[in-house]
Amino acid sequence: MASDKKVSRPKARLPRGFRDRSGAEIAAERRLIEIIRGVYESYGFLPLETPSFEYTDALGKFLPDVDRPNAGVFSLKDDDEQWLSLRYDLTAPLARYVAENFQHLPKPFRRYQTGLVYRNEKPGPGRYREFTQFDADTVGTPSPAADAELLMMVCDALEALGLKRGEYVVKINSRGLLDGVLDAVGLPAEEGERRGIVMRAIDKLDRLGVRGVKALLGEGRKDESGDFTKGANLSEEAAGKILRFLEIGSGDFSTVLRDIVGDNAKALAAIEQLGEIVRLCRENGYDAEQIAPDTSIIRGLDYYTGPVFEAQLTFPVQNEQGETVVFGSVAGGGRYDDLVARFTGQQVPATGISIGVSRLLAALTSRGLVGEVKPLVIVLSMGDTVSSFRIAKELRSAGVHAETYVGTKKIPDQLKYADKRGAALVIMEGDDERAAGQVTIKDLKAGAELSKSVESRAEWVGARAAQETVTRAELVAKIKTMLGQG
Amino acid sequence: MASDKKVSRPKARLPRGFRDRSGAEIAAERRLIEIIRGVYESYGFLPLETPSFEYTDALGKFLPDVDRPNAGVFSLKDDDEQWLSLRYDLTAPLARYVAENFQHLPKPFRRYQTGLVYRNEKPGPGRYREFTQFDADTVGTPSPAADAELLMMVCDALEALGLKRGEYVVKINSRGLLDGVLDAVGLPAEEGERRGIVMRAIDKLDRLGVRGVKALLGEGRKDESGDFTKGANLSEEAAGKILRFLEIGSGDFSTVLRDIVGDNAKALAAIEQLGEIVRLCRENGYDAEQIAPDTSIIRGLDYYTGPVFEAQLTFPVQNEQGETVVFGSVAGGGRYDDLVARFTGQQVPATGISIGVSRLLAALTSRGLVGEVKPLVIVLSMGDTVSSFRIAKELRSAGVHAETYVGTKKIPDQLKYADKRGAALVIMEGDDERAAGQVTIKDLKAGAELSKSVESRAEWVGARAAQETVTRAELVAKIKTMLGQG
């Protein structure tokens, strides 16, 4: 109800770290998701949708002593006084789903899921607090065939999206191999803290280079700001072995590695497992340009138990500082054999890969690979709304996107509206034309070209050169021809 | 890391009021959304996506004094100590978006949005705490053409989904008309509380019938449990007029109404507005079976300022008590000219309609109108995984959904897996067959038929009658033929 007293009005503002999206970006993301979905379904992966919320304890974050367990995740208490959290990835909900429905699922259980995930973190440029992931996982088999299949499937998806050979590479490494290397250089699992330092150092190879990593493996490193990061205090020899391991990159695994890991059983098993995954890919026609081992891939510290994967785009783009850089990671994953056991105590082998949809979309957009939008025709409202509606309906029946102007403004404003909407064509049917069985079609694209040779916007909007009068009967066919859909 | 000490494990359980969805239901909902989207885009509506969260004050719920404003909505404080709420519909976020971006939008602004909305309410059978809506709104025009367009567009969408004339009806009423009737019977806007009682009474016409509503318009009503609901204490004459208004239903508005509302200006304006909306629909070929005025439609008490809409499915279904009932409402909406003004103080006329996707999906599923799933072929793993992968890849290249078994179980278990997965065909290539350039195709559907005449599942799984051996070269063509895709 209207009221005369002063009211304080809320300010209309988007919450920090979130964003509104419209038109072309939504259409492009939808198309991207459809293409990935098509490939994954053709492999026999079935869709699963879990809810946005999970019980907080099920997400693997333990309820802290403070009132709200909000570190990293969005959490709240429901009306049963139970803590709920919005999912921060699609893997933890999958583990909950598998544990809850284990008896009834076909094994291996292969599902894909796409949807929003939430991070209660400090937002930054390009970093939002909700974003879309697209995951595929195979649960219930330790076979390297399951890992190899995911790698090949991701290659197929990236190529279906229009990327060419050489524009992407799916890299593979192994947590078991890293464990074996660390064992072999005298840093066993019990040395958790120093291992953590080494892993984080390796993960920074891209950014810090060999010198930086070497410092972190040894006594530590002072960065440009003067801040000191503690090192792992490895011996020269041990650090040397790790650096040689990293230098293998995608090079010759078997001989160089044997030289580093000796007869460490864990490392040898991991090498064999990696070798089998790569062999399956190669013999199915995926070459080293598409799928390649790389000793420098780390992917998360706690989560993975075996092979780890990372899909990278290799073409150059400009970063925010205007520098030319390689686009980098768009998907990551690996084997996680312990996640279901968190609930059931029973180890269930599982492997999966997750595509960062927004990042991939940004890359494809920069490549011009997505974003086609169907042209729009707008029928102006010139006295007889019924007739405008009828024209639009006929066009839609012929497969054309056609809008009737439903506002109350006059013709010049309607033309400006059509221009702002990016319409390709505008249809005008004045009273005289209607009486004569005629309509006028205005070509806004041609008009825009024309406007470069006339003085003002107002002039071209009024210009008659880019318009054409046809009979009402031939209208639909004419529009289809003009849109190139004839 | 594995550990020997006892740990307390979280229980794997779906949060109360939420659900997991899989396979066919997801595919059906996706198809439904695609069809609605196709129709709405063909009308020139553009997609918009707002985030899951809004600032709580922007949602129109005022922050209560208690710690968490959780009544009805899911709310939490972010790390800026600001209250955020998950959207409970798609209209409040639209109002925020329009207020925030008003200058830059084409007017009228026409957008559709589909997505999850959240209710922190007691869940019940078929009532979940997150569900999908599909909204279309036109913001920035008071024209009845905008309302008429939404009604016609919803008809088109329902028919595109396979519903026939007579299986649905879009009903229209007017808050302005109701206001006018209440004015005319001596219950002006100042009598807010008694008006509320009358509105709620009208809204219960379906459930309580004329007698129940009459009691509530008068002294009040005692229900079966003995609970007493206070009435509006209207005079016999006033209550009689309201009942006569309701009895009009979809009948003759103009003459009967004039008789009730006399020369009440508000009511006459509303009658004219309704009349224009209905005229536009009729002259565009939408008849009373599709779009009909109905004086008993209420749709929310505070929100709407003019016409209100409700799409109903008219065919009978069984309810949870096994009774045959009409399916009822699947979409609702109306004109809300005050929502943007909450932020800006400037009234922006707006009208919209929201489809309850899950309810509509349930109705269409009961009609067998959605749910087709592409048949799946599973290639068993019999010693040479590379060859299994190759066969599946060839089938995918030919447009067949083909899965390679990536588990580690033996053949009988693989066949059980294929059966559980609902596969149409299974491909087996044993070592001898591979050497001879042959493969065996097992028809699981035919096998299942056959099993009715054999004694045990184990027997039919092993039965050879529903299988056929072909050469490797003719495999793909043969599969296509067997799936009816040849």
Side-chain angles (χ1 to χ4, degrees):
Chain A
M1 291 290 106
S3 159
D4 284 327
K5 67 176 173 192
K6 286 266 182 218
V7 286
S8 86
R9 296 196 187 91
K11 188 165 154 41
R13 69 215 191 283
L14 191 61
R16 195 173 66 96
F18 295 89
R19 60 191 176 138
D20 296 315
R21 304 194 307 158
S22 57
E25 187 183 352
I26 295 175
E29 183 178 295
R30 191 165 71 231
R31 195 160 154 254
L32 181 150
I33 285 174
E34 280 309 313
I35 290 171
I36 299 172
R37 191 199 319 274
V39 171
Y40 286 16
E41 288 194 345
S42 80
Y43 270 83
F45 280 74
L46 281 181
L48 174 71
E49 280 181 11
T50 60
S52 307
F53 282 105
E54 295 287 342
Y55 285 122
T56 301
D57 63 350
L59 283 184
K61 300 262 171 187
F62 293 98
L63 201 65
D65 291 330
V66 299
D67 268 358
R68 279 166 294 134
N70 255 2
V73 299
F74 288 108
S75 301
L76 51 82
K77 254 186 190 167
D78 77 354
D79 52 0
D80 290 338
E81 295 294 304
Q82 300 228 45
W83 278 106
L84 294 175
S85 295
L86 287 169
R87 61 189 181 202
Y88 63 87
D89 69 11
L90 300 173
T91 311
L94 172 65
R96 188 271 305 157
Y97 177 83
V98 169
E100 194 173 359
N101 300 282
F102 195 73
Q103 295 308 321
H104 312 293
L105 296 178
K107 260 86 70 179
F109 176 64
R110 301 153 87 248
R111 82 90 180 81
Y112 73 84
Q113 180 167 3
T114 182
L116 291 169
V117 299
Y118 303 86
R119 305 277 164 95
N120 192 6
E121 290 167 357
K122 214 178 167 63
R127 280 171 59 92
Y128 296 98
R129 302 209 281 180
E130 88 181 349
F131 54 93
T132 303
Q133 292 190 332
F134 198 129
D135 283 26
D137 295 79
T138 298
V139 179
T141 174
S143 168
D147 304 289
E149 182 184 53
L150 290 175
L151 303 183
M152 296 189 285
M153 190 167 79
V154 163
C155 290
D156 287 8
L158 294 175
E159 294 192 15
L161 287 164
L163 292 171
K164 295 194 176 45
R165 297 281 162 97
E167 293 189 319
Y168 72 90
V169 61
V170 185
K171 292 188 166 175
I172 173 172
N173 194 12
S174 167
R175 267 301 303 269
L177 181 54
L178 270 168
D179 277 353
V181 169
L182 296 180
D183 280 355
V185 302
L187 204 64
E190 293 75 43
E191 295 259 26
E193 196 193 341
R194 287 172 72 204
R195 273 201 169 198
I197 294 172
V198 172
M199 305 278 262
R200 284 190 294 278
I202 295 175
D203 209 21
K204 288 176 187 156
L205 179 62
D206 267 6
R207 201 147 50 79
L208 304 184
V210 171
R211 271 181 64 120
V213 173
K214 191 173 178 180
L216 288 170
L217 295 179
E219 292 180 354
R221 177 178 176 272
K222 195 180 276 187
D223 67 18
E224 300 85 58
S225 71
D227 283 348
F228 183 75
T229 308
K230 200 177 134 190
N233 277 314
L234 290 180
S235 70
E236 189 89 9
E237 192 202 336
K241 277 196 174 183
I242 291 175
L243 289 172
R244 272 171 61 215
F245 172 70
L246 292 182
E247 278 162 17
I248 297 173
S250 296
D252 178 6
F253 264 57
S254 45
T255 47
V256 183
L257 264 175
R258 281 304 284 263
D259 186 33
I260 296 167
V261 301
D263 57 358
N264 179 284
K266 215 185 278 174
L268 294 181
I271 292 172
E272 194 184 321
Q273 190 184 33
L274 271 185
E276 175 62 7
I277 294 171
V278 171
R279 183 188 73 85
L280 286 169
C281 296
R282 294 287 177 270
E283 296 207 13
N284 277 289
Y286 296 79
D287 63 25
E289 204 179 29
Q290 296 169 283
I291 297 171
D294 187 327
T295 54
S296 69
I297 298 297
I298 292 285
R299 301 296 314 172
L301 304 176
D302 303 328
Y303 201 81
Y304 296 114
T305 54
V308 286
F309 325 130
E310 182 171 303
Q312 302 175 348
L313 302 187
T314 54
F315 50 78
V317 289
Q318 301 265 313
N319 71 8
E320 283 145 20
Q321 284 78 45
E323 300 155 350
T324 299
V325 294
V326 163
F327 193 90
S329 172
V330 291
R335 190 165 269 285
Y336 53 98
D337 288 347
D338 295 331
L339 268 189
V340 175
R342 278 192 59 241
F343 296 104
T344 60
Q346 186 186 354
Q347 209 187 43
V348 177
T351 183
I353 191 158
S354 173
I355 295 176
V357 168
S358 310
R359 259 189 78 72
L360 182 55
L361 183 62
L364 295 174
T365 306
S366 79
R367 267 298 197 246
L369 289 177
V370 285
E372 191 195 337
V373 170
K374 210 169 170 181
L376 176 68
V377 176
I378 295 184
V379 187
L380 300 195
S381 179
M382 299 177 74
D384 185 346
T385 310
V386 168
S387 186
S388 303
F389 271 131
R390 274 192 199 134
I391 292 172
K393 193 177 181 183
E394 279 174 38
L395 287 169
R396 280 195 293 273
S397 299
V400 174
H401 283 189
E403 165 179 342
T404 307
Y405 178 80
V406 294
T408 51
K409 298 289 171 86
K410 296 205 189 319
I411 301 303
D413 285 324
Q414 294 190 32
L415 281 168
K416 277 181 205 152
Y417 168 80
D419 186 41
K420 200 161 186 177
R421 287 280 277 109
L425 303 173
V426 152
I427 295 174
M428 298 184 292
E429 187 197 41
D431 293 339
D432 295 348
E433 286 169 309
R434 194 174 306 112
Q438 291 185 325
V439 280
T440 296
I441 305 167
K442 199 171 180 79
D443 187 331
L444 291 192
K445 296 250 153 65
E449 282 304 309
L450 197 68
S451 73
K452 293 174 185 163
S453 63
V454 297
E455 272 186 15
S456 72
R457 274 183 56 81
E459 198 175 334
W460 85 255
V461 163
R464 302 198 70 82
Q467 68 185 44
E468 186 170 352
T469 298
V470 300
T471 68
R472 180 71 178 74
E474 66 190 356
L475 175 65
V476 172
K478 181 71 189 172
I479 294 279
K480 298 271 284 183
T481 308
M482 292 177 77
L483 294 176
Q485 301 171 5
Chain B
M1 292 289 105
S3 159
D4 284 325
K5 68 177 175 191
K6 285 268 182 218
V7 289
S8 85
R9 297 197 184 89
K11 191 166 152 39
R13 67 215 193 284
L14 191 61
R16 195 172 66 96
F18 294 88
R19 62 194 174 134
D20 296 315
R21 305 194 306 158
S22 56
E25 187 181 354
I26 296 174
E29 184 179 294
R30 190 165 72 231
R31 193 157 157 254
L32 182 150
I33 286 174
E34 280 308 312
I35 289 171
I36 299 172
R37 189 198 322 272
V39 171
Y40 286 15
E41 289 195 346
S42 81
Y43 271 82
F45 281 73
L46 281 180
L48 175 71
E49 280 180 12
T50 59
S52 307
F53 281 104
E54 295 287 342
Y55 284 122
T56 302
D57 63 350
L59 282 183
K61 300 264 169 182
F62 292 98
L63 202 65
D65 291 329
V66 297
D67 266 356
R68 277 167 295 135
N70 255 2
V73 297
F74 288 107
S75 301
L76 51 82
K77 255 187 193 167
D78 77 355
D79 51 1
D80 291 338
E81 296 294 304
Q82 300 227 44
W83 278 106
L84 294 175
S85 294
L86 286 170
R87 63 190 181 204
Y88 63 88
D89 68 12
L90 301 173
T91 311
L94 172 65
R96 188 271 305 157
Y97 177 82
V98 170
E100 193 173 359
N101 299 283
F102 195 74
Q103 296 308 322
H104 312 292
L105 296 177
K107 263 86 68 180
F109 175 64
R110 303 153 85 248
R111 81 89 180 82
Y112 74 83
Q113 181 167 3
T114 182
L116 290 170
V117 300
Y118 302 86
R119 305 278 164 95
N120 192 6
E121 290 167 357
K122 217 179 165 59
R127 280 171 59 91
Y128 295 97
R129 302 208 282 179
E130 89 180 349
F131 53 93
T132 303
Q133 291 191 331
F134 199 128
D135 283 25
D137 294 80
T138 297
V139 179
T141 174
S143 168
D147 304 290
E149 182 184 53
L150 291 177
L151 303 182
M152 295 189 286
M153 190 167 78
V154 163
C155 290
D156 287 7
L158 293 175
E159 294 192 14
L161 287 165
L163 291 171
K164 294 196 175 44
R165 298 281 161 97
E167 292 189 320
Y168 72 90
V169 61
V170 185
K171 292 189 166 174
I172 172 171
N173 194 15
S174 167
R175 266 300 302 271
L177 182 53
L178 270 168
D179 277 353
V181 170
L182 296 181
D183 280 356
V185 301
L187 203 63
E190 294 75 43
E191 295 259 25
E193 196 193 344
R194 287 172 71 206
R195 273 200 171 201
I197 293 172
V198 172
M199 304 278 261
R200 284 191 293 277
I202 295 175
D203 208 23
K204 290 178 185 153
L205 180 62
D206 266 6
R207 201 148 49 81
L208 303 183
V210 171
R211 269 181 66 119
V213 174
K214 192 173 178 181
L216 287 171
L217 295 178
E219 291 179 355
R221 177 176 175 275
K222 194 180 275 187
D223 68 18
E224 301 85 56
S225 71
D227 283 348
F228 183 76
T229 308
K230 200 177 134 187
N233 278 313
L234 290 180
S235 71
E236 190 89 11
E237 193 202 338
K241 276 196 173 181
I242 290 176
L243 289 172
R244 272 171 61 218
F245 171 70
L246 293 182
E247 277 162 18
I248 297 172
S250 297
D252 179 5
F253 262 58
S254 45
T255 47
V256 184
L257 264 176
R258 283 303 288 261
D259 187 31
I260 296 167
V261 300
D263 57 1
N264 179 285
K266 214 184 280 175
L268 294 181
I271 292 171
E272 195 183 321
Q273 189 185 35
L274 272 184
E276 175 61 6
I277 294 170
V278 172
R279 184 189 73 83
L280 287 169
C281 296
R282 295 285 177 273
E283 296 207 13
N284 277 288
Y286 295 79
D287 64 24
E289 205 178 30
Q290 295 168 284
I291 297 171
D294 188 327
T295 54
S296 69
I297 297 297
I298 293 283
R299 300 295 317 169
L301 305 174
D302 304 326
Y303 202 79
Y304 296 114
T305 55
V308 286
F309 325 129
E310 183 171 302
Q312 301 175 347
L313 302 188
T314 54
F315 50 79
V317 286
Q318 302 264 313
N319 70 8
E320 281 145 21
Q321 284 79 46
E323 300 155 352
T324 299
V325 294
V326 163
F327 193 90
S329 171
V330 291
R335 190 165 268 285
Y336 53 98
D337 288 348
D338 295 331
L339 268 190
V340 175
R342 278 191 60 241
F343 296 103
T344 60
Q346 186 187 355
Q347 210 187 43
V348 176
T351 183
I353 191 158
S354 174
I355 295 176
V357 169
S358 308
R359 259 188 78 72
L360 181 55
L361 182 63
L364 295 174
T365 305
S366 81
R367 267 295 196 252
L369 290 177
V370 283
E372 191 195 337
V373 170
K374 208 168 172 183
L376 175 69
V377 176
I378 296 184
V379 186
L380 301 195
S381 178
M382 298 176 75
D384 185 347
T385 310
V386 167
S387 184
S388 303
F389 272 132
R390 274 194 198 132
I391 291 172
K393 193 177 181 185
E394 279 174 39
L395 287 169
R396 282 194 295 270
S397 299
V400 174
H401 283 190
E403 166 179 342
T404 306
Y405 178 80
V406 293
T408 51
K409 299 290 172 85
K410 296 203 189 322
I411 301 305
D413 285 324
Q414 294 191 31
L415 282 167
K416 277 181 203 153
Y417 168 81
D419 185 42
K420 200 162 186 177
R421 286 282 276 110
L425 303 174
V426 153
I427 295 175
M428 299 184 291
E429 187 197 41
D431 292 339
D432 294 348
E433 285 168 312
R434 193 174 309 114
Q438 292 185 325
V439 280
T440 296
I441 305 168
K442 199 172 181 80
D443 186 331
L444 291 191
K445 296 251 154 63
E449 282 304 309
L450 196 70
S451 74
K452 292 173 186 163
S453 62
V454 296
E455 273 188 12
S456 71
R457 276 184 57 79
E459 197 175 335
W460 83 256
V461 163
R464 304 197 69 83
Q467 67 184 47
E468 186 170 351
T469 298
V470 299
T471 69
R472 181 69 179 75
E474 66 189 357
L475 176 65
V476 172
K478 181 70 190 175
I479 294 280
K480 297 273 283 183
T481 308
M482 291 177 79
L483 294 175
Q485 299 170 8

